[in-house]
Amino acid sequence: MLKKIIFIILFFSIFNIQNFKYTFSSEFRQNNFNQAKKFAIKISKKFPKSFYCGCTINWNGKKGIPDLKSCNYKIRKNRIRANRIEWDHIVPAWEFGHNKKCWKKGGRKKCSSNSIFKKMESDLHNLQPAIGEINGDRSNFSFYEWKKNHKKNFYGSCHVLIDFKNKKIEPPNSKKGIISRTYLYMSYRYKIKIPKKQMILFKKWNSKYPVNKWECQRDNLIYKIQGNHNQYVHNKCIKIPK
C-alpha cells in the first residue's frame, strides 16, 4: 500500500514539473519587462514571501498584496506602496543601464528599444518580489555592510537598514547571499562593471551565506522558463543533498 502511494505521488510530481516546463518555455521571450513580471509572479506563487521582509504575499491575478502583520512590518511613510508588491531589480536598472548611450539621452525610457538593455531588464534571475515601499526607498542605492548595526531600522521587524544621506542599504543577513550571487551572475553574464569594493563585499557574502533550498528550486524554475541557470547558485545546488 505504501509503495502504491509513493508511486502516485511521484507520478503527479513528474507530471506537474513537465507541464510547468511546457507551459512556460514555449511562451517566454527575454525582451519584455512586463511579460517577465507575469512569469515572475508564477514563480513567486511557489514561495509566496516578499524578498527583504519575508511577508506572506496574497496574489490576486497580477496584484500582489503583502500581509504586513505576518512579518510585523511597520510602514515608514508610503502606505500605498507598502501595501503592494513590486518587482525589485537586485542589480538596479540604473547600474546596468546608465553607461549606455540611450540612457544618457533620456534615462530608462530611452533604453526601451535597446535589445541588450531589455534582455537585462527582463532577466528573471534578477527580479525579486518586494514590498513597494522598500523598493522605492532602496531606489538604486548600493548594498553595504556597516561594522556596527547603528543605522535606524524604519520597518519594524523587517531588518532593512537604509542610509538615505549616503545612498546605501544593508539587507537582512538572510538575503545577503542571494543578493551577492545575483550580482556575480549579472556581472559575469552581461559584463557589468561593479566597483571593486562592492565585488569584494559580494564575494564575502557569497561565501558566508550559503545557498538555500528555495534558491535552488527558484533557479531550476527559471532555467525551465528562461533557459539558463545562475551558475553561482546552480553549481552549489548540485552539492546539496536532496
Side-chain angles (χ1 to χ4, degrees):
M1 183 65 180
L2 181 60
K3 290 183 178 180
K4 186 176 181 180
I5 292 172
I6 293 173
F7 174 79
I8 292 171
I9 292 171
L10 288 173
F11 174 80
F12 281 104
S13 296
I14 293 169
F15 175 80
N16 287 333
I17 291 171
Q18 289 177 337
N19 186 54
F20 186 86
K21 182 177 180 180
Y22 174 79
T23 302
F24 284 170
S25 63
S26 62
E27 297 176 5
F28 183 73
R29 299 290 181 273
Q30 193 187 337
N31 61 5
N32 186 299
F33 180 45
N34 287 327
Q35 184 205 46
K37 287 188 286 187
K38 294 178 182 178
F39 286 92
I41 288 171
K42 294 180 180 181
I43 293 171
S44 176
K45 286 180 177 179
K46 298 289 181 179
F47 187 77
K49 300 284 185 179
S50 67
F51 181 65
Y52 296 101
C53 306
C55 301
T56 300
I57 302 174
N58 298 307
W59 286 104
N60 183 9
K62 298 178 183 178
K63 187 176 182 180
I65 303 171
D67 180 354
L68 302 183
K69 290 183 180 179
S70 69
C71 59
N72 296 313
Y73 182 90
K74 179 182 177 182
I75 298 173
R76 183 184 74 86
K77 185 177 180 180
N78 195 323
R79 184 169 295 276
I80 293 176
R81 292 186 75 172
N83 281 284
R84 73 186 187 202
I85 290 297
E86 298 177 359
W87 290 99
D88 181 24
H89 286 90
I90 298 302
V91 180
W94 178 88
E95 193 148 16
F96 56 72
H98 76 282
N99 285 323
K100 293 188 174 299
K101 291 181 180 179
C102 56
W103 192 283
K104 293 175 181 178
K105 291 180 180 179
R108 186 170 174 174
K109 289 184 179 179
K110 281 291 184 179
C111 288
S112 61
S113 59
N114 183 287
S115 59
I116 297 175
F117 179 84
K118 289 194 295 182
K119 195 174 185 67
M120 292 187 286
E121 185 185 36
S122 57
D123 193 310
L124 293 171
H125 288 290
N126 192 39
L127 296 178
Q128 293 285 359
I131 291 175
E133 183 177 44
I134 296 286
N135 186 36
D137 286 352
R138 186 252 165 141
S139 183
N140 60 4
F141 293 0
S142 298
F143 288 108
Y144 199 73
E145 186 172 61
W146 289 280
K147 292 182 179 179
K148 293 184 179 179
N149 198 10
H150 65 282
K151 296 297 174 183
K152 185 176 180 181
N153 175 23
F154 297 106
Y155 312 103
S157 294
C158 182
H159 297 290
V160 174
L161 306 176
I162 297 182
D163 183 345
F164 288 101
K165 182 179 179 180
N166 294 303
K167 298 183 177 181
K168 294 180 179 180
I169 174 174
E170 180 171 1
N173 289 341
S174 61
K175 306 306 176 191
K176 288 177 180 177
I178 300 171
I179 288 167
S180 69
R181 286 180 280 279
T182 303
Y183 259 89
L184 293 171
Y185 159 81
M186 291 290 288
S187 175
Y188 178 82
R189 185 168 180 81
Y190 300 109
K191 311 304 178 191
I192 301 170
K193 291 184 179 180
I194 307 298
K196 186 177 180 180
K197 286 185 178 180
Q198 284 267 282
M199 288 301 288
I200 292 173
L201 177 65
F202 294 141
K203 288 178 181 179
K204 172 188 171 183
W205 285 358
N206 180 40
S207 176
K208 187 175 181 180
Y209 302 101
V211 169
N212 59 45
K213 287 186 178 181
W214 167 240
E215 257 188 286
C216 295
Q217 292 169 8
R218 178 176 175 271
D219 179 73
N220 282 326
L221 292 175
I222 293 174
Y223 171 75
K224 291 167 186 173
I225 300 169
Q226 190 169 283
N228 73 296
H229 287 287
N230 175 341
Q231 67 272 31
Y232 295 94
V233 175
H234 181 64
N235 291 344
K236 294 182 179 180
C237 291
I238 295 171
K239 300 176 184 179
I240 297 178
K242 294 183 179 180

